[in-house]
Amino acid sequence: MGLDITWKDASPGYEEQRVGRIFNKHRPDRFPAGILKASSIEDVVAGVALAKQKGLKLTVRSGGHSWPAWSLRDGALLIDLENLRELSLDDMTNIVTVSPSSTGRMINVDYLRERGRCFPGGHCPSVAVGGFLLQGGQGWNCRGWKWACEYIESMDVVVARHGQVEVVTASETVNSDLFWAARGAGLGFFGVVVRFRLKTIPLPKIMAKSILIFDASEYQETFEWFQQACLSFDFDVELVYLGLSRFRCLPESKGKPEDPLLVISATVWKEDQAEAEKALAVLQQCPKLEKALLNVPYAPTSFAEEYDLQERDNPPECRFFCNNAWIRGTPKEVADSLRRGFVELPTKDSYTLYYSQGPLRKLPDMAFDIQTEHYFATYLMSTDTTGGEDQLCRDWLAETFAAIDSKRGGPGGSPGQYLGDSDLKTRPAKFMSDEHWTKWKRIREKWDPERLFFGYGVHEKGEENRHLWELESRAKL
Ligand SMILES: Cc1cc2nc3c(=O)[nH]c(=O)nc-3n(C[C@H](O)[C@H](O)[C@H](O)COP(=O)(O)OP(=O)(O)OC[C@H]3O[C@@H](n4cnc5c(N)ncnc54)[C@H](O)[C@@H]3O)c2cc1C
């Protein structure tokens, strides 16, 4: 059987193959030379060899959920892994073997649930583990259960070097430099991962949540308190502070649908209900409790229910504009810096999020190494399919992040970003320390000496791991 490749300008159905699996309806004008639908590891090996032979660069797509659609690069051979399928659990080791296009829902709900295990995949059910794990993976309860890439036991990767294409295994002990790079390099990874072996954890008996909703006028006090309170929750609790419109979270309440409201959400995993109730009770100490528009102290939930809600809140028919920043500072400095991000949303569908990583844990030695206690991310959404709200969203992002970046990494500013919610093209910012950047380049030289993979070269300034303000001051010299 020949390879299933759709070539640009030569095959019918090219446009559907190019963007049909891209989640974000705000799609870039970038056109791969061809799209290979791989159904086996042999197809991937043959595809990499073909790219070498034709002098094409390579890109990979597992689930198509990269917000800026980095699987699409001009002139590349795109290897799409949708049809490469594998999912099995080893009952002795509790290691689950998955293909990169497996999604959180497939792994947790359709497969592991009945086996009494789970894995901290992405919050949206349709996020595939391929791109998610390579960038770090801020999955369920990342604060307590660690970054999802810390669950990779080993992986199989198709690499091209020394004139040969081969499948190698990478783990802490085998090809450990490749393994180091895979845990955080994201779109800059220089191989095709075709299989992950992942640790799983026992599925807790209880999953429950608590929610408080406030008017935007309560921002400063509730947000400063929440940042402090996060430090006293135990590590089985995921903690989020959201800015979203009344239309999205309390549609029945009085007021304009576009009014921004503030949602404090805590989700807990425990072995019994009494422990879960106790863990969530911290929210009831909020000094502004009597001002809450809604107070749900305890509500049972499940992965299946939460995936459904995430799917509803991130509708696939929308145009998305995303960005993010790790923030440093005292609760007041953080709240002052992010005020606009929570109380002035550009469209009624948009939402913004603060995710507590505090108290911060030490990371293992891997490419991913920039984080703070405070994660801020923006998910601007437009249902206007003509693009009529695009500029509004772009301007809002530019102004909001320019204010953060004006602090140049100082108090209330950002020392870096998370690749998962980034758009390096519109806002360059560091995603690794300088030391890790140097190490990543050295490892790439070994594993991809011919630079078959695209890497981070996404804007006119070339391949950079720098903040915008550093690039701008260098340009002035
Ligand atoms: C609705 C939605 C919800 C999300 N929720 C979360 C969340 O909760 N937590 C979080 O951390 N992130 C989240 N994200 C971000 C998401 O994890 C990243 O965009 C991730 O890249 C998606 O993985 P993918 O395989 O679908 O991406 P793709 O678009 O398929 O790939 C993105 C890039 O990753 C690389 N890549 C992908 N697969 C491989 C492979 N097998 N081998 C080598 N390189 C590969 C390629 O460079 C590719 O261009 C979300 C995104 C969306 C759209």
Side-chain angles (χ1 to χ4, degrees):
M1 284 274 284
L3 291 174
D4 176 3
I5 304 184
T6 305
W7 293 106
K8 181 171 180 279
D9 302 328
S11 319
Y14 171 82
E15 189 56 11
E16 174 57 23
Q17 290 298 332
R18 185 179 83 92
V19 295
R21 294 189 64 233
I22 300 288
F23 178 85
N24 191 351
K25 292 295 176 291
H26 173 233
R27 285 154 173 176
D29 287 337
R30 294 192 295 264
F31 298 88
I35 297 131
L36 161 63
K37 294 289 279 197
S39 305
S40 64
I41 294 176
E42 290 72 31
D43 282 357
V44 176
V45 171
V48 174
L50 182 72
K52 259 172 81 73
Q53 181 203 331
K54 285 184 169 287
L56 299 174
K57 282 198 178 280
L58 277 168
T59 57
V60 190
R61 180 190 290 157
S62 288
H65 274 52
S66 154
W67 297 110
W70 288 127
S71 59
L72 297 178
R73 307 285 189 110
D74 285 327
L77 178 64
L78 163 56
I79 302 187
D80 187 312
L81 301 176
E82 180 183 20
N83 299 334
L84 185 70
R85 293 268 177 228
E86 187 174 5
L87 189 49
S88 65
L89 182 72
D90 180 327
D91 295 334
M92 300 299 286
T93 60
N94 286 317
I95 301 279
V96 67
T97 300
V98 300
S99 47
S101 59
S102 308
T103 65
R105 182 186 268 148
M106 285 175 194
I107 298 173
N108 275 331
V109 179
D110 301 344
Y111 189 73
L112 288 181
R113 180 172 55 176
E114 63 191 31
R115 291 162 177 85
R117 311 290 300 178
C118 69
F119 164 75
H123 293 81
C124 268
S126 53
V127 171
V129 291
F132 170 76
L133 288 171
L134 288 171
Q135 75 213 351
Q138 195 174 39
W140 290 104
N141 193 22
C142 184
R143 167 181 180 266
W145 288 349
K146 307 182 196 168
W147 287 85
C149 70
E150 297 179 58
Y151 285 69
I152 307 175
E153 182 72 16
S154 68
M155 55 209 284
D156 293 344
V157 189
V158 178
V159 290
R161 55 179 192 150
H162 311 317
Q164 155 178 352
V165 180
E166 57 181 335
V167 187
V168 299
T169 297
S171 70
E172 286 284 4
T173 51
V174 181
N175 295 316
S176 56
D177 54 353
L178 189 63
F179 189 63
W180 181 92
R183 297 190 300 166
L187 69 149
F189 190 59
F190 33 77
V192 186
V193 182
V194 288
R195 178 181 286 129
F196 290 101
R197 293 177 201 86
L198 305 170
K199 294 168 203 155
T200 60
I201 54 175
L203 178 64
K205 287 203 180 71
I206 302 286
M207 179 171 173
K209 63 184 176 185
S210 176
I211 288 176
L212 297 173
I213 301 184
F214 293 97
D215 186 82
S217 58
E218 307 299 337
Y219 170 75
Q220 193 79 20
E221 214 169 323
T222 55
F223 190 32
E224 284 189 32
W225 170 79
F226 183 64
Q227 292 174 60
Q228 287 285 7
C230 288
L231 304 177
S232 58
F233 277 93
D234 73 36
F235 277 113
D236 291 332
V237 188
E238 176 177 270
L239 297 156
V240 186
Y241 189 94
L242 295 143
L244 74 175
S245 66
R246 182 184 302 277
F247 155 80
R248 297 282 305 263
C249 63
L250 276 184
E252 309 300 324
S253 66
K254 276 197 200 135
K256 291 196 216 124
E258 64 273 21
D259 283 347
L261 298 182
L262 306 166
V263 178
I264 296 181
S265 163
T267 306
V268 67
W269 290 263
K270 288 285 186 192
E271 285 310 303
D272 74 61
Q273 185 171 334
E275 279 180 53
E277 284 174 353
K278 191 170 158 218
L280 293 179
V282 181
L283 278 200
Q284 300 304 310
Q285 294 164 17
C286 176
K288 287 286 188 169
L289 203 62
E290 80 287 356
K291 295 274 190 181
L293 303 175
L294 181 77
N295 178 1
V296 179
Y298 184 90
T301 188
S302 65
F303 278 118
E305 276 178 60
E306 292 302 311
Y307 282 140
D308 287 347
L309 290 175
Q310 291 280 343
E311 201 159 50
R312 184 201 66 188
D313 291 344
N314 295 280
E317 64 277 8
C318 280
R319 296 166 75 84
F320 285 84
F321 299 81
C322 302
N323 224 306
N324 77 92
W326 293 108
I327 307 287
R328 61 162 61 111
T330 61
K332 177 167 179 357
E333 286 161 349
V334 173
D336 286 347
S337 181
L338 301 185
R339 166 174 285 278
R340 179 170 195 262
F342 285 100
V343 304
E344 282 178 42
L345 301 176
T347 68
K348 71 175 184 356
D349 299 287
S350 301
Y351 70 97
T352 55
L353 159 161
Y354 165 90
Y355 194 99
S356 173
Q357 286 286 127
L360 215 52
R361 287 174 312 101
K362 192 172 169 349
L363 295 170
D365 184 21
M366 55 186 183
F368 175 91
D369 72 339
I370 294 188
Q371 62 166 354
T372 69
E373 282 94 344
H374 313 291
Y375 182 66
F376 172 62
T378 56
Y379 308 89
L380 309 188
M381 263 184 248
S382 169
T383 48
D384 180 346
T385 50
T386 66
E389 290 178 329
D390 289 8
Q391 199 54 46
L392 186 68
C393 293
R394 283 198 198 99
D395 290 347
W396 187 95
L397 279 181
E399 285 164 31
T400 303
F401 284 92
I404 294 170
D405 289 338
S406 70
K407 299 182 171 62
R408 300 188 164 225
S414 171
Q417 65 171 330
Y418 170 49
L419 284 173
D421 290 325
S422 70
D423 184 352
L424 292 175
K425 191 167 166 62
T426 56
R427 178 173 165 267
K430 261 189 188 163
F431 46 87
M432 282 180 202
S433 64
D434 291 342
E435 188 196 344
H436 279 207
W437 179 240
T438 305
K439 182 168 172 179
W440 171 80
K441 285 199 271 195
R442 203 173 60 235
I443 297 172
R444 177 174 67 171
E445 203 51 46
K446 173 177 161 191
W447 287 96
D448 183 19
E450 293 167 36
R451 300 277 170 90
L452 211 52
F453 290 84
F454 256 97
Y456 302 105
V458 298
H459 51 82
E460 65 283 358
K461 295 189 171 71
E463 208 168 43
E464 294 282 7
N465 173 44
R466 280 177 205 278
H467 298 293
L468 188 56
W469 69 81
E470 293 173 322
L471 292 168
E472 283 169 352
S473 37
R474 199 175 55 177
K476 281 188 201 136
L477 290 178

